[in-house]
Amino acid sequence: MPLPGKSKKRAKHVAALQLPPGTFQRYVVELTHPRNLRFLGCTALAAILVWLITMAWQPPMPYRLGIVPQRNIHPRVQFRVLDPVATKTAEQEAHRESRSVYDNSPERLEQMRTRLVSELVRLTTTEAYDEATKIGWSEFFPVGGDATEGASEQHREAEYEKLKALLAREGMLNKFEQRVNAALLEYTQRGIMASDQLDRKEGRAASIVVVSPSGTGDQQIVPLNDVLKAQVIERIGRNLELEIIKLADADGETDFLVQPINYWVSKHLPGTLTFNQEETIKLRNEMVAAIEPVMKIYTVDDVISPGGQPINEDRLALLQREYVAYNNSRSYWQVASYSWAILGMYGALSSLCGVYLVLKSPEILTDLKSFLLFLAPTMGTIAIGYWLDDRWEVEMIPVMVLAMTLAIVYRQELSLLVTACVTLALILSAEGNLVGFVTITATCSAAILCMNRIRTRRKLIYVGLWAGLVAFLTKFGVSVVVGQPAGLELLQSSLWQGLWAIVAGFLITGLLPFIEKSYGVLTDISLLELGDAAHPLLQKLAQRAPGTYNHSITVASIAESAAESIGANGLLCRVGAYFHDIGKMMKPEYFIENQDVGGNRHDGLNPAISTLVIIAHVKDGADLARANGLPQPFIDFIEQHHGTTLVEYFYRVASQRVEQNPDEREVDEAIYRYPGPKPQTKEAAVMMICDITESACRTLVEPTSSRIENLVEDLSMKRLLDGQFDECGLTLRELRLIQESITKSLTAVYHGRVKYPPPQPTPV
């Protein structure tokens, strides 16, 4: 039976035992780490900005021009739209019913009245009837009649005598003038329209607008029949008859004047209304503008776009009005729930990409700048795609540019994932069309899968052409599958999609230098340009350190083959090798490959000083690279190709001195090591192995294949055991492949040669 104390101690040990955290726990711990909180903050801010830019609180417009709906589309809510035909009809009716405007000139009636009185005064001042007849008395009577001419003359003469007697009475002429004025007063204000002015009247309104004389500006609406001269003559005649009768008194009659005065007035009555075309047009336009738009009401039972027929301009306008009406009719709860759903979708897609970054691409999360260079274009693509004109489906361009950029900068898997997430977010926020999602995703995937190696700028154009073909076929095929008719409209839309993919290919070709500069990446195009032997640094290296230059060229050839044997970037290794030792040109005479046979500069130096001189070429090379604008990967090669290895020659010399002289201070190994860092990539590890093996191979007296193989294996294994490959992810299998490739390359360079016999002297 175990002792109680021991059982208790064992229980404590069991309770203290904890299993390693699972994947989810590790992910939570990683996210909640203080260094990652700023990444989370930037992601949340970007999601909110995209949420605002894309107006995620309202659903997207689901219809586009040319789409053929499978069934009748009914309004979701009742809405009203302008009926242009009915409105136009109402405006035309208002145009026809508009009133004409006339200016009234009452002075014409005044002039007629004055002339009438003047004629009567002149007639009554003559002595004889014959003289009165000659000066105008006959104008008061019509020509001819039922009575004989003689009887008529007698009658006229009798009435003339009555007129003289009447007007000879005191004050009668003034009274007569007042009565005539009273008879014409109504038409002085209303006006009289002559037949020529009636012909100019516009519209079919039964009334006109009469403008008072200048100065007053008053207007009145007058029935047309009340101002026509034909009707006015009759009314004026009755007015004159009533007014003239009022002149009668106990001493005399005035009936005899009615007929002559009526006749003269009807004969000389002027038109006082003049057509005003400018005011008429102005009034007509005002009446047309005052017409209220005629609205047509659509209910949920109406069909605003029949199934099986393409959506044209008119139907799309109706659908847009219904879309606006539906959004305006939604309650606060509906808006909030939809908005939160979209924001949740953004969060889910961001989380998916975040998990991938943490597990597969942690280099993006090394600092805030790298993360923002990834986040900003991603979120910007969604915003740009949302605001582009949806009629031509141009959102293909920014999404494809993003896809190709991510494939160049990072890796194809990350580009595929991010492009799918961006396309899904864009489609759900801006279009809601399955055809669009499939088309954009397929096109971008086709482009991404072709972006493995970019050695010429033509390849980007070829990628755009290939993606354009995929876009055309996908758009056409998927549209037919979902029920769109294979007609001219669909063919045109598919061609536009292919064109946008080609445009994106040309666009990324022009943006490539800026992408490389911003992200610090190198494509094969830039590597080929930098690998030109005419580069100023390489020319200076060849002039000042020809031995180092020759060593760099040899290492470049060996490193390219070794890198390609493990699937690494051989071109990057080759061009990087050209520059990995440029720091030696600062003090070329201190490196063995540049020294003459005469002597060695290190013979008179302390081993520690010599080590400092040798190690300095790493820092000098990095400074030269930065000063001349070399890309960061080349600077990494310069700093990492020695890692933290030991400068063995001078370390051994120092150790021997300590052994020979016990008074010497013990050798500190750290002083004789390079500052590092250790290789961070497989390419840098390949560079380290190729650099040391090529230098060491030069010391072999007889570089046979077996000796080279042993040398390569010994040196690479020494680096492995020294921990130089701990941070680059190099596997043992890959190390073996690198050794085999380097052995073959060095054997080809330093192979044995046939010794030719010395030339025989020429016999005399």
Side-chain angles (χ1 to χ4, degrees):
M1 181 175 179
L3 296 176
K6 290 186 177 181
S7 299
K8 187 175 182 180
K9 187 174 181 180
R10 180 178 298 174
K12 288 183 178 180
H13 283 302
V14 172
L17 181 63
Q18 293 182 354
L19 295 176
T23 303
F24 180 76
Q25 290 177 325
R26 287 190 291 109
Y27 182 63
V28 172
V29 171
E30 191 71 22
L31 283 180
T32 55
H33 194 280
R35 71 171 182 270
N36 293 330
L37 292 179
R38 54 182 179 173
F39 300 145
L40 289 175
C42 292
T43 303
L45 178 61
I48 293 173
L49 289 177
V50 173
W51 176 79
L52 291 173
I53 292 173
T54 59
M55 295 187 293
W57 49 88
Q58 62 183 24
M61 171 66 178
Y63 304 106
R64 280 186 171 179
L65 190 67
I67 291 179
V68 180
Q70 299 304 302
R71 58 185 62 86
N72 294 338
I73 300 177
H74 297 272
R76 290 169 288 184
V77 294
Q78 180 176 300
F79 69 101
R80 301 190 308 162
V81 297
L82 176 67
D83 191 337
V85 176
T87 302
K88 185 66 175 178
T89 302
E91 291 176 351
Q92 292 174 350
E93 185 66 22
H95 184 279
R96 287 191 294 266
E97 295 296 334
S98 63
R99 299 184 180 93
S100 298
V101 180
Y102 286 83
D103 294 327
N104 186 21
S105 301
E107 61 272 9
R108 296 180 184 178
L109 281 179
E110 295 292 336
Q111 293 171 0
M112 185 202 71
R113 180 180 56 80
T114 303
R115 181 184 174 190
L116 173 61
V117 174
S118 299
E119 288 290 335
L120 293 176
V121 171
R122 189 174 58 166
L123 288 172
T124 56
T125 55
T126 56
E127 295 294 337
Y129 171 73
D130 294 337
E131 185 179 354
T133 302
K134 292 179 181 180
I135 64 175
W137 176 245
S138 59
E139 293 183 6
F140 286 85
F141 298 94
V143 178
D146 296 336
T148 62
E149 184 176 350
S152 298
E153 285 297 330
Q154 293 176 359
H155 177 70
R156 292 176 184 176
E157 184 176 358
E159 290 187 348
Y160 171 69
E161 293 298 334
K162 291 180 181 179
L163 177 63
K164 287 181 65 176
L166 178 64
L167 296 181
R169 297 168 60 182
E170 183 179 359
M172 183 56 69
L173 186 61
N174 290 334
K175 292 180 181 180
F176 176 78
E177 185 176 0
Q178 293 174 358
R179 294 304 174 186
V180 173
N181 187 40
L184 299 176
L185 179 61
E186 177 184 356
Y187 299 98
T188 301
Q189 300 174 353
R190 184 181 299 174
I192 302 172
M193 182 183 295
S195 58
D196 60 328
Q197 296 298 320
L198 178 62
D199 295 337
R200 299 190 63 184
K201 177 181 175 294
E202 296 182 359
R204 61 185 185 185
S207 58
I208 62 172
V209 176
V210 177
V211 181
S212 298
S214 302
T216 61
D218 296 335
Q219 297 181 357
Q220 58 177 325
I221 299 175
V222 181
L224 184 61
N225 289 333
D226 291 350
V227 295
L228 290 177
K229 187 174 181 179
Q231 281 77 16
V232 168
I233 290 175
E234 182 179 353
R235 296 193 187 98
I236 289 179
R238 290 198 297 267
N239 291 345
L240 286 173
E241 181 179 359
L242 295 175
E243 295 297 332
I244 291 174
I245 291 175
K246 292 180 181 179
L247 289 174
D249 55 19
D251 297 328
E253 297 292 336
T254 58
D255 294 344
F256 70 93
L257 277 179
V258 173
Q259 184 177 357
I261 297 301
N262 279 342
Y263 178 75
W264 190 92
V265 168
S266 64
K267 186 177 179 181
H268 296 87
L269 185 67
T272 63
L273 297 179
T274 305
F275 180 71
N276 190 330
Q277 186 173 11
E278 181 179 352
E279 290 296 326
T280 300
I281 295 175
K282 180 180 178 182
L283 179 62
R284 182 173 63 240
N285 292 338
E286 290 176 354
M287 292 185 64
V288 172
I291 295 298
E292 292 289 337
V294 180
M295 307 300 290
K296 183 176 182 180
I297 299 177
Y298 286 88
T299 65
V300 293
D301 297 326
D302 294 325
V303 176
I304 53 179
S305 183
Q309 299 182 16
I311 297 176
N312 55 24
E313 295 279 359
D314 295 336
R315 292 168 183 164
L316 183 62
L318 274 180
L319 291 169
Q320 289 173 340
R321 291 300 300 270
E322 186 273 342
Y323 169 73
V324 173
Y326 171 72
N327 284 333
N328 293 335
S329 67
R330 292 192 303 157
S331 64
Y332 174 80
W333 170 249
Q334 289 176 316
V335 174
S337 59
Y338 183 86
S339 180
W340 279 107
I342 292 296
L343 191 60
M345 183 265 296
Y346 287 160
L349 295 178
S350 300
S351 299
L352 178 62
C353 296
V355 170
Y356 184 90
L357 293 181
V358 171
L359 300 180
K360 299 295 184 180
S361 297
E363 68 275 5
I364 300 178
L365 303 177
T366 54
D367 58 79
L368 186 59
K369 179 182 177 182
S370 300
F371 180 69
L372 290 178
L373 284 174
F374 166 79
L375 181 64
T378 303
M379 297 303 175
T381 300
I382 300 176
I384 294 173
Y386 177 83
W387 285 107
L388 284 177
D389 184 9
D390 61 347
R391 174 172 180 175
W392 304 105
E393 301 178 79
V394 194
E395 60 270 14
M396 169 73 76
I397 296 178
V399 178
M400 187 170 169
V401 168
L402 175 69
M404 298 175 74
T405 300
L406 295 180
I408 293 172
V409 176
Y410 304 112
R411 54 176 62 92
Q412 293 172 311
E413 295 84 356
L414 177 61
S415 181
L416 287 170
L417 174 63
V418 174
T419 302
C421 293
V422 167
T423 305
L424 181 59
L426 182 60
I427 293 299
L428 293 180
S429 301
E431 183 182 354
N433 189 348
L434 177 63
V435 177
F437 174 75
V438 175
T439 302
I440 296 177
T441 303
T443 304
C444 293
S445 300
I448 291 169
L449 295 177
C450 296
M451 298 287 290
N452 49 350
R453 299 295 297 271
I454 306 174
R455 299 184 68 92
T456 63
R457 298 189 183 275
R458 292 192 303 273
K459 181 171 183 178
L460 293 174
I461 299 177
Y462 294 153
V463 169
L465 293 173
W466 164 244
L469 178 62
V470 173
F472 169 77
L473 295 176
T474 305
K475 172 72 174 181
F476 193 88
V478 176
S479 298
V480 172
V481 168
V482 299
Q484 299 294 313
L488 182 61
E489 189 75 27
L490 179 58
L491 180 63
Q492 182 180 2
S493 178
S494 302
L495 287 174
W496 278 115
Q497 289 286 276
L499 176 62
W500 300 143
I502 297 174
V503 169
F506 280 93
L507 189 60
I508 203 70
T509 303
L511 292 175
L512 185 61
F514 303 99
I515 294 172
E516 293 177 323
K517 182 69 175 178
S518 301
Y519 289 90
V521 297
L522 287 173
T523 61
D524 290 354
I525 298 174
S526 298
L527 288 174
L528 291 172
E529 293 174 352
L530 290 168
D532 188 359
H535 194 283
L537 277 179
L538 295 180
Q539 289 184 339
K540 189 175 294 186
L541 180 65
Q543 295 170 3
R544 302 189 62 177
T548 300
Y549 177 80
N550 184 50
H551 161 71
S552 299
I553 297 299
T554 305
V555 170
S557 176
I558 298 171
E560 183 176 19
S561 300
E564 290 180 350
S565 67
I566 62 171
N569 192 336
L571 182 59
L572 176 61
C573 284
R574 174 164 67 86
V575 181
Y578 292 156
F579 298 91
H580 81 284
D581 271 343
I582 57 175
K584 291 182 178 180
M585 75 172 71
M586 305 301 294
K587 296 182 179 66
E589 64 276 6
Y590 286 90
F591 298 91
I592 188 65
E593 66 267 23
N594 300 312
Q595 293 176 353
D596 297 332
V597 181
N600 191 331
R601 289 292 187 94
H602 294 283
D603 291 342
L605 296 178
N606 186 283
I609 301 300
S610 295
T611 301
L612 290 177
V613 174
I614 295 298
I615 291 176
H617 87 276
V618 174
K619 182 179 182 303
D620 293 339
D623 292 340
L624 277 174
R626 293 188 182 96
N628 288 271
L630 290 184
Q632 185 61 39
F634 288 4
I635 300 175
D636 294 338
F637 278 147
I638 295 172
E639 294 177 338
Q640 299 171 18
H641 77 280
H642 284 296
T644 58
T645 56
L646 186 68
V647 184
E648 291 189 32
Y649 177 80
F650 293 110
Y651 177 74
R652 290 175 181 175
V653 171
S655 299
Q656 290 175 0
R657 288 187 178 184
V658 171
E659 292 176 359
Q660 296 172 1
N661 186 4
D663 295 334
E664 289 281 342
R665 188 173 60 182
E666 181 122 2
V667 179
D668 185 4
E669 183 179 311
I671 298 176
Y672 293 88
R673 283 188 177 273
Y674 283 93
K678 296 178 180 179
Q680 302 297 306
T681 61
K682 294 180 180 180
E683 288 81 3
V686 170
M687 179 77 68
M688 172 181 281
I689 300 173
C690 293
D691 179 57
I692 186 61
T693 53
E694 197 280 334
S695 299
C697 193
R698 291 172 180 266
T699 64
L700 294 177
V701 178
E702 293 183 4
T704 61
S705 176
S706 59
R707 289 183 177 180
I708 292 175
E709 182 179 3
N710 291 332
L711 177 67
V712 171
E713 183 173 358
D714 290 343
L715 293 176
S716 58
M717 291 304 296
K718 183 181 292 186
R719 296 296 185 274
L720 175 65
L721 296 175
D722 194 26
Q724 298 300 315
F725 306 141
D726 292 348
E727 300 176 10
C728 64
L730 192 67
T731 64
L732 291 176
R733 180 178 179 277
E734 290 172 337
L735 182 60
R736 172 55 60 185
L737 293 175
I738 293 172
Q739 292 173 351
E740 293 174 356
S741 175
I742 293 176
T743 300
K744 291 179 182 178
S745 299
L746 289 175
T747 302
V749 174
Y750 297 104
H751 60 277
R753 303 180 185 274
V754 177
K755 294 184 178 180
Y756 291 93
Q760 298 295 326
T762 304
V764 179

